[in-house]
Amino acid sequence: MLVTWVVTFVVSAYQTLMHAGVCNEPAQAADLGEAQRSLVLLAALVAIPWAVTLWRTRYRLRVGLFALPALAPVTVWAVQALQASPADYVLSWCLY
């Protein structure tokens, strides 16, 4: 579960920083679309091992109870990304 959280955080932070606007400018619509697709793909990739484990094990209740908190952050971030506008992807700092 901890590995799922770490991978989710690192990939979503990378996607957000890679596709965010710079210097208080909103992100481009194409960048936002790419970030949304990437976060939905991340949510699917994170859910696949849990789904396979749930399908293959006889301890479905235990695996399901561990899967819920592990999948909650990536699901929330994917839903937030799908509802976001380019103005939501604004960075307030500049690199130059």
Side-chain angles (χ1 to χ4, degrees):
M1 186 168 70
L2 184 61
V3 171
T4 302
W5 280 11
V6 169
V7 169
T8 300
F9 176 75
V10 168
V11 172
S12 62
Y14 173 74
Q15 287 296 328
T16 301
L17 290 174
M18 189 168 105
H19 297 294
V22 293
C23 298
N24 297 316
E25 295 289 325
Q28 301 294 323
D31 286 339
L32 178 61
E34 186 177 340
Q36 289 171 335
R37 285 188 299 275
S38 298
L39 287 173
V40 169
L41 179 64
L42 172 67
L45 289 175
V46 167
I48 287 172
W50 288 102
V52 169
T53 303
L54 191 63
W55 173 58
R56 301 277 305 186
T57 188
R58 36 181 224 167
Y59 303 108
R60 289 189 173 94
L61 181 62
R62 289 184 206 167
V63 172
L65 290 175
F66 280 108
L68 288 176
L71 297 176
V74 70
T75 305
V76 168
W77 289 335
V79 169
Q80 287 175 346
L82 289 173
Q83 295 175 346
S85 67
D88 293 331
Y89 280 79
V90 174
L91 292 180
S92 60
W93 52 273
C94 300
L95 294 176
Y96 53 87

